[in-house]
């Protein structure tokens, strides 16, 4: 009876909007990535300022999406104060010693 399953067919045009090619992608003038990837860079604040001054419509969309995502997140006090349990203790590195003279030792050994 395992082989009697009917394949599920789904009409992609019903579930998604029709995509037209070529896609028009807007890039950030600061980090040169597509706008949706700016939040993952170290220069995110500069990217937001650039976006606000150069493409205000996209900036509004970005801010609205961020507000919607924050509204969906439910943060309780217990979860915010919870200590990290994954990964164990971090590796403690020994401090580097300064002004240490380095030596190279050469020796000769006779081979048979």
């Amino acid at each position: 009876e395992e082989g009697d399953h009917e394949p599920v067919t789904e009409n992609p045009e019903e579930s998604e909007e029709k995509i037209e090619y070529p896609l028009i992608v807007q890039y950030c003038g600061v980090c040169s990535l597509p706008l949706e990837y700016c939040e993952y860079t170290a220069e995110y604040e500069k990217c937001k300022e650039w976006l606000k001054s150069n493409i205000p419509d996209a900036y509004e969309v970005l801010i609205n999406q961020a507000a919607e995502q924050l509204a969906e997140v439910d943060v309780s006090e217990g979860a915010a104060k919870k200590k990290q349990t994954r990964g164990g203790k971090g590796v403690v590195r020994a401090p580097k010693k300064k002004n240490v003279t380095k030596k190279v030792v050469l020796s000769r050994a006779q081979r048979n």
Side-chain angles (χ1 to χ4, degrees), residues 20-82:
E20 296 182 22
Y21 292 97
L23 297 176
I24 298 172
V25 180
Q26 293 178 326
Y27 292 91
C28 176
V30 176
C31 65
S32 71
L33 293 174
L35 299 178
E36 57 266 13
Y37 294 106
C38 285
E39 65 184 288
Y40 302 111
T41 64
E43 304 168 332
Y44 183 51
E45 294 302 319
K46 291 180 184 178
C47 292
K48 282 198 313 188
E49 292 299 321
W50 182 88
L51 188 61
K52 189 175 185 179
S53 63
N54 293 305
I55 313 173
D57 297 335
Y59 178 77
E60 291 297 323
V61 170
L62 181 70
I63 295 301
N64 290 338
Q65 287 176 351
E68 289 173 6
Q69 289 174 354
L70 285 175
E72 293 174 1
V73 176
D74 181 31
V75 179
S76 62
E77 286 186 34
K81 294 181 181 179
K82 184 177 179 182

